[in-house]
Amino acid sequence: MNANTPNLAPINQIPNPYGHSLPSYLQADNLGPWGVYLQQVDRVIPYLGHLARWAETLKRPKRALIVDVPIELDNGTIAHFEGYRVQHNTSRGPGKGGVRFHQDVTLSEVMALSAWMSVKNAAVNVPYGGAKGGIRVDPKTLSRGELERMTRRYTSEIGIIIGPTKDIPAPDVNTNEQIMAWMMDTYSMNEGATATGVVTGKPIDLGGSLGRREATGRGVYTVGAEAAHHLGMDISKARVAVQGFGNVGGIAGKLFAQAGARIVAVQDHGGTIYREAGLDVPALLAHVATQGSVAGFAQAESIEPDTFWDVDCDILIPAALEQQITSKNAGRIKARMVIEGANGPTTPEADDILHERNILVLPDVIANAGGVTVSYFEWVQDFSSFFWTEDEINARLVRIMKEAFAGVWHVAQEKKVSLRTATFIVACTRMLRARELRGLYP
Ligand code: GLU
């Protein structure tokens, strides 16, 4: 914590009947993703009125499952991977959230991601709680057969807590439609009946929804355009820098470019590229599709990764991983607006620095909610076995995103708080109101 974070309440001072603070595995003794989430929750508690009585609910995941995922590799050896599924909250409906395959996945990270799903789902008012899953693995090191075996074994292991009315996984970092197809099939084989509604983000031929693949990026663009309007910023003249050029950053970049913006810099795990006149986004997307990274894209200059944060731009879109904008680089950012395509890309210290510098942050829990919103449409379509057109889906998505954004914008103005705190106020109030109405069992 530094001089820029004067308002943080102490995290670990919640009384319980035995005088203990939070269980050790929930304490924010470092600034990992869960610690960041706890700080964000502490900022909202003063605004929860009588519901603050229930606030500790927000600081404890309802259920966390750690599973061993053993598979036989192609060379005959046995490999064990660590898998997780965390259900943070189910007060408003079943758990919902993606599954991430990444070598840095930890329980702390999955807990934070599951909590951000609870907040996100409540913020856009879809009838879900929050959940998240992950496997600690670099999927690029696996063959297709190994990837399939690992996905199926993981699904079978978490099968005791997921289900179409219990907890519905979806894609996240390094997972895609094919992985959702394997998850759906594995769950269905174990159940003895095809259950399309157990996951979303499936291929269209298996009950997937039109528009799901583009939905997160479309939502990022939609709230970005709304906020630009409030700021008096002309998108068609804006310079945009994007970190991560996958399903979120790539689509958002494409939509901003279509609106006339110049995408001047893109960074991903492989490299950082820059072009003052604006990158040719369709050509860059084609390059990434074959090469797996923006690195080596001929029609751009390659720059040092750290200089990405100094790029002269109007809009910055972090759309990769957590904790990218920190107290170390927040003071260098030139943008007028940051749109969080990723989950948790900004630390609380960096949030304060950006706020002081009058840089508007559109927080993840509203900015990237387009994906789960269309996941909700997919789930509804699977249950009703009646499928909507892409125009219907996009129109409903845009309506929900605009309404949710207008709501949190209003709260932010009224209470003079950041958009993140405003979104947490709206979402946590919805969650805790449901908690209070349901009451404690027994
Ligand atoms: N993984 C996405 C997210 O972080 C989507 C989750 C979902 O569709 O359930 O919001």
Side-chain angles (χ1 to χ4, degrees), residues 85 95-100 113 116-117 120-121 128 131-132 168-173 175 200-201 212 216 248 341-343 364 368-376:
R85 185 74 189 171
K96 181 88 191 84
V99 172
R100 165 175 303 202
L113 291 165
W116 285 322
M117 286 310 304
K120 189 185 305 187
N121 292 334
Y128 293 132
K132 201 86 175 196
I168 306 108
D172 196 74
V173 174
T175 53
T200 58
R212 173 62 186 86
T216 313
V248 182
N343 292 308
D364 48 7
N368 71 30
V372 74
T373 301
V374 176
S375 276
Y376 166 57

Side-chain angles (χ1 to χ4, degrees), residues 89-97 114 117-118 121-122 126-131:
N89 187 286
T90 57
S91 295
R92 302 177 60 259
K96 181 88 191 84
S114 72
M117 286 310 304
S118 301
N121 292 334
V126 292
Y128 293 132

Side-chain angles (χ1 to χ4, degrees), residues 171 175-182 201-204 206 212-213:
T175 53
N176 57 23
E177 293 175 5
Q178 178 60 71
I179 286 166
M180 294 306 115
W182 291 328
K202 298 179 296 294
I204 305 287
L206 285 180
R212 173 62 186 86
R213 198 183 302 154

Side-chain angles (χ1 to χ4, degrees), residues 278-291:
L279 294 155
D280 177 344
V281 173
L284 181 58
L285 286 168
H287 175 88
V288 172
T290 57
Q291 306 301 310

